[in-house]
């Protein structure tokens, strides 16, 4: 007889749940459907989770870790903020994370957050974490905090827009345009640190 250590792991159920969420929204994340996709009955699900809500919490934790803190950690070894920000931008625009479509997963999670306070709190937490991290990197480049915050929001809103158009108007989903926007924001952060005289590259005439 199969034991509780047999069958899909907790990670398998989470991956199946995220795939279902990305394709069909939260209504597609049903135990029977996930079990069928994994080739098992419903029983093994309850070896790993108390109920569907615990699966939801695990899905959110996976998204927070693999789509945010994990990416930040991958870029942390680089020596300077510009390199870290550009590396992070490249990681963020990767189309897939394993078997998951990044844009579909992000958008599906945010659509779910529009209906349910559980993911809504997580989305707010992740947004704050991402923005704070980028802001701090821009401050290290010399931007005053208010400027760094504005540039950080610009970078982040451009990324969310890229995720959205990848689904609905893919002809607008230009990764190079996003890279250019990030580069412009980084340049602006560095320029904000310079004295006004150094920023002024145009000769002035005598009055």
């Amino acid at each position: 007889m199969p034991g509780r250590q047999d069958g899909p792991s907790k990670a398998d159920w989470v991956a199946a749940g995220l795939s279902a969420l990305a394709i069909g929204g939260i209504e597609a994340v049903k135990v029977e459907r996930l079990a069928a996709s994994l080739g098992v009955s419903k029983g093994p699900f309850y070896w790993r989770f108390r109920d569907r809500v615990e699966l939801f919490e695990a899905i959110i934790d996976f998204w927070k870790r693999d789509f945010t803190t994990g990416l930040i950690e991958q870029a942390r070894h680089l020596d300077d903020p510009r390199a870290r920000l550009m590396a992070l931008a490249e990681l963020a625009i990767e189309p897939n994370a394993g078997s998951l479509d990044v844009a579909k997963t992000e958008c599906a999670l945010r659509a779910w957050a529009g209906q349910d306070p559980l993911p809504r709190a997580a989305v707010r937490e992740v947004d704050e974490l991402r923005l704070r991290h980028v802001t701090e990197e821009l401050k290290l480049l010399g931007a005053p905090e208010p400027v760094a915050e504005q540039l950080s929001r610009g970078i982040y809103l451009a990324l969310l827009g890229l995720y959205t158009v990848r689904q609905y108007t893919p002809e607008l989903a230009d990764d190079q345009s996003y890279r250019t926007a990030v580069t412009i924001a980084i340049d602006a952060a560095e320029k904000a640190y310079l004295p006004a005289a150094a920023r002024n590259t145009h000769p002035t005439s005598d009055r």
Side-chain angles (χ1 to χ4, degrees), residues 18 34 63 94 162 187 196 198:
L18 269 167
L34 301 185
W63 173 68
E94 281 290 321
L162 179 61
D187 289 345

Side-chain angles (χ1 to χ4, degrees), residues 47-64:
W47 300 346
R48 312 298 183 196
F49 300 96
R50 290 190 308 273
D51 51 29
R52 192 163 166 248
V53 171
E54 189 175 10
L55 171 64
F56 290 168
E57 291 170 346
I59 285 172
I60 291 167
D61 287 344
F62 178 94
W63 173 68
K64 288 163 65 175

Side-chain angles (χ1 to χ4, degrees), residues 74-164:
Q74 287 183 59
R76 199 178 292 280
H77 69 283
L78 296 169
D79 291 336
D80 67 274
R82 173 181 279 270
R84 289 193 295 270
L85 284 170
M86 292 307 300
L88 189 57
E90 288 296 326
L91 291 166
I93 62 175
E94 281 290 321
N96 300 301
S99 62
L100 295 170
D101 182 301
V102 170
K104 285 183 179 178
T105 303
E106 282 276 337
C107 292
L109 227 148
R110 291 172 186 281
W112 177 24
Q115 310 167 27
D116 188 332
L118 177 66
R120 190 177 307 139
V123 167
R124 287 176 175 168
E125 179 185 344
V126 164
D127 287 345
E128 181 181 348
L129 172 60
R130 291 172 175 176
L131 286 166
R132 184 169 65 248
H133 176 75
V134 175
T135 297
E136 291 302 315
E137 294 285 44
L138 293 170
K139 285 167 62 179
L140 289 174
L141 288 169
E145 186 158 355
V147 174
E149 287 177 348
Q150 288 183 345
L151 293 172
S152 176
R153 289 193 188 102
I155 289 171
Y156 191 44
L157 291 173
L159 179 63
L160 296 181
L162 179 61
Y163 288 155
T164 300

